[in-house]
Amino acid sequence: MHERLSFFVKRDSALHPLNPLTKIVLALGIILVSIFSPWYWTSHVLLLVVIVPLVFIGKVATEYFTSALRLILPAAGFIFFMQAFFQPIGQTVIFNFWFLDITQESLLFAFRIATRITVMISAFTLFLLTTHPSELMSDLTRRGLPPQFAYVIISTLQILPQMQAKAQTIIAAQRSRGLDTESTFFKRIGSVVPLVSPLVFGSLVEVEERAIAIEARGFTSKKAKTSLYEISDRSSDKFIRWGLVIFVIISIVLKLWLS
Amino acid sequence: MFEKIKKDFTTMTWVLIPVAIAINIAIGQIVVLLKLPVFLDSIGTVLVGIVAGPWAGALTGALSNTIWGLFNPDSLPWWPVAFFIGLVAGLCANAGLFKNWWKVILSGFLIALTAAIVSTPISVYLYGGITASGSSFITAYLLQTGQGVLSAVLSTGFLVEPVDKITTAMLAFVIVQGLSKRLVARFPRPENAEVESGNNTTQIIIALVVVVVVVALGFVVRNMLAG
């Protein structure tokens, strides 16, 4: 219950020992190319030729495909249907219902947007599965990110599961006292206060204690801090990063040039 | 300029930000559970904006959406919207718009306008105007009546956002007023949360009544549109 929120899976693969910055650049590069590239099939090709092989290289196929089924497919599927029905483009009507119609053009458009969303989420998931959050943060701090940012991210990942567990406890406790969370509109809106206030006030009161605790451990100290872990950054990492930057620039230039 | 911003980022602010992000997400999930016609997923952001200034609020918003993206990937591209919600909330608070319940309505309205304007380009460029949110039904209707994508998305935003953001601002105001004065005084901008006139218990009660009325109004309008 007090575990940190993390998707990291420890495996012995070619992807895991890469520098965390390389992996985040890889994810962002894939996302940006899929958004900016003017070619219709870019996202589809990226998904099949880049992301799926990387998933197998990173040895996280089981985890990736379960999250694909649970998270990515519903999100992309929903977007696909919304787009297919609601986009008012195109003439060739395939299917018609009330004021909504599916045309050939809107289907193609929906397919593109849905795949783009899939690529975005997949790239991000792949990055999360192969990178430990603490490793990423220590690497970024070493490169000059203020350590406070690292504190905010890591501490949010810790607080969030605690907070959600606390919320579940409060909901269960208030229900057992007879709080109505399911019937009429006014009953439901009335139960916002007894659910939200213990959660919020409880956690805000802790803020001061926490601040004193980390200040006592040199949080505001400006001296350079030493790290317990050494994070590798090989020349192949730099090569991959610059290669990706060039790809992104090419696709933005193509987009601007062709439009 | 930078010195001024730095002053807002005390240890208290840095510790408040993760808690505020967790509040955003936890309340957002409770509201989904209660099936209310609002999102209320930026109460923490507005809260930071009030007690720690616009830039702390903006940072909270942006990080909040990024971290929410871990288990709700659809919220990721909307981080600029959350950024501006925090920023505008902070600016309103600095201008003294969080000192009275009726001024908070004004702040909520300003935040709503900002959110509608900032989300429009994202919605149009990334999704072609139709997003995964339920309000896209209205956009689709407007598109069918022959409006352009830009104006259809923008009018949907102006129609939907005020209810949510006024409620959010009100609840953030209620939370700040409910905290002990001693705790609020430890944050960088305690003066933003001082009540101008009347005692704060009456302010809290009025604010809660306004929340119920606004959400009920939103509920009625939504049912009218759907029916």
Side-chain angles (χ1 to χ4, degrees), chain A residues 78 83 87 164 188 208 215, chain B residues 11 35 127-128 130 132 186:
Chain A
F78 190 65
Q83 297 286 350
Q87 277 301 338
Q164 282 168 328
R188 273 182 285 145
E208 199 184 6
E215 226 161 44
Chain B
T11 310
K35 299 193 192 74
Y127 296 90
I130 308 292
R186 295 269 284 126

Side-chain angles (χ1 to χ4, degrees), chain B residues 2-31:
Chain B
F2 273 115
E3 284 308 305
K4 252 190 187 166
I5 295 174
K6 248 188 192 163
K7 247 190 215 161
D8 282 340
F9 286 91
T10 61
T11 310
M12 279 299 270
T13 312
W14 286 115
V15 178
L16 178 66
I17 291 174
V19 174
I21 296 173
I23 288 178
N24 280 346
I25 296 174
I27 295 185
Q29 287 173 338
I30 291 181
V31 168

Side-chain angles (χ1 to χ4, degrees), chain B residues 166-190:
Chain B
I166 291 174
T167 322
T168 303
M170 273 296 172
L171 287 174
F173 172 71
V174 168
I175 291 169
V176 175
Q177 296 310 325
L179 289 172
S180 72
K181 283 228 165 70
R182 193 192 63 79
L183 179 63
V184 175
R186 295 269 284 126
F187 291 109
R189 292 173 186 264

Side-chain angles (χ1 to χ4, degrees), chain B:
Chain B
M1 171 82 179
F2 273 115
E3 284 308 305
K4 252 190 187 166
I5 295 174
K6 248 188 192 163
K7 247 190 215 161
D8 282 340
F9 286 91
T10 61
T11 310
M12 279 299 270
T13 312
W14 286 115
V15 178
L16 178 66
I17 291 174
V19 174
I21 296 173
I23 288 178
N24 280 346
I25 296 174
I27 295 185
Q29 287 173 338
I30 291 181
V31 168
V32 170
L33 183 102
L34 293 175
K35 299 193 192 74
L36 295 177
V38 281
F39 306 113
L40 300 188
D41 52 6
S42 40
I43 294 181
T45 310
V46 176
L47 189 79
V48 176
I50 299 174
V51 297
W55 296 103
L59 179 69
T60 312
L63 286 178
S64 181
N65 266 51
T66 316
I67 288 173
W68 204 333
L70 297 181
F71 39 98
N72 181 13
D74 188 50
S75 76
L76 204 58
W78 304 99
W79 68 265
V81 184
F83 178 92
F84 277 98
I85 289 174
L87 191 76
V88 172
L91 293 175
C92 286
N94 285 354
L97 288 180
F98 273 93
K99 298 193 173 193
N100 243 328
W101 67 268
W102 59 268
K103 284 185 178 170
V104 178
I105 296 185
L106 187 61
S107 323
F109 195 69
L110 289 174
I111 296 172
L113 289 189
T114 320
I117 292 168
V118 179
S119 62
T120 300
I122 301 175
S123 164
V124 170
Y125 189 74
L126 207 60
Y127 296 90
I130 308 292
T131 64
S133 131
S135 63
S136 289
F137 198 74
I138 306 171
T139 317
Y141 183 77
L142 291 175
L143 284 175
Q144 297 287 342
T145 60
Q147 276 201 39
V149 187
L150 213 62
S151 75
V153 174
L154 205 57
S155 0
T156 311
F158 286 146
L159 217 64
V160 178
E161 294 285 355
V163 172
D164 184 45
K165 295 304 177 294
I166 291 174
T167 322
T168 303
M170 273 296 172
L171 287 174
F173 172 71
V174 168
I175 291 169
V176 175
Q177 296 310 325
L179 289 172
S180 72
K181 283 228 165 70
R182 193 192 63 79
L183 179 63
V184 175
R186 295 269 284 126
F187 291 109
R189 292 173 186 264
E191 71 277 4
N192 282 352
E194 264 166 36
V195 172
E196 261 174 358
S197 59
N199 73 20
N200 48 0
T201 323
T202 35
Q203 292 287 334
I204 290 177
I205 293 169
I206 296 172
L208 284 175
V209 171
V210 173
V211 168
V212 176
V213 171
V214 171
V215 178
L217 233 110
F219 187 66
V220 170
V221 170
R222 193 188 63 163
N223 278 8
M224 255 162 45
L225 281 176

Side-chain angles (χ1 to χ4, degrees), chain A residues 13-19 23 26 54-55 57-60 126 130:
Chain A
S13 81
L15 221 51
H16 283 72
L18 282 181
N19 186 276
K23 282 182 271 188
L26 179 67
L54 278 179
V55 164
I57 292 171
K59 294 183 183 162
V60 286
L126 185 65
T130 54

Side-chain angles (χ1 to χ4, degrees), chain A residues 155-203:
Chain A
S155 139
T156 309
L157 295 181
Q158 267 173 350
I159 294 176
L160 201 58
Q162 291 172 16
M163 192 93 143
Q164 282 168 328
K166 215 193 268 175
Q168 288 309 317
T169 316
I170 293 170
I171 291 172
Q174 298 287 39
R175 270 186 183 155
S176 74
R177 288 180 187 144
L179 184 78
D180 191 347
T181 57
E182 266 143 15
S183 67
T184 62
F185 176 71
F186 282 99
K187 289 253 173 71
R188 273 182 285 145
I189 196 171
S191 51
V192 168
V193 173
L195 290 181
V196 166
S197 55
L199 185 69
V200 169
F201 290 120
S203 47

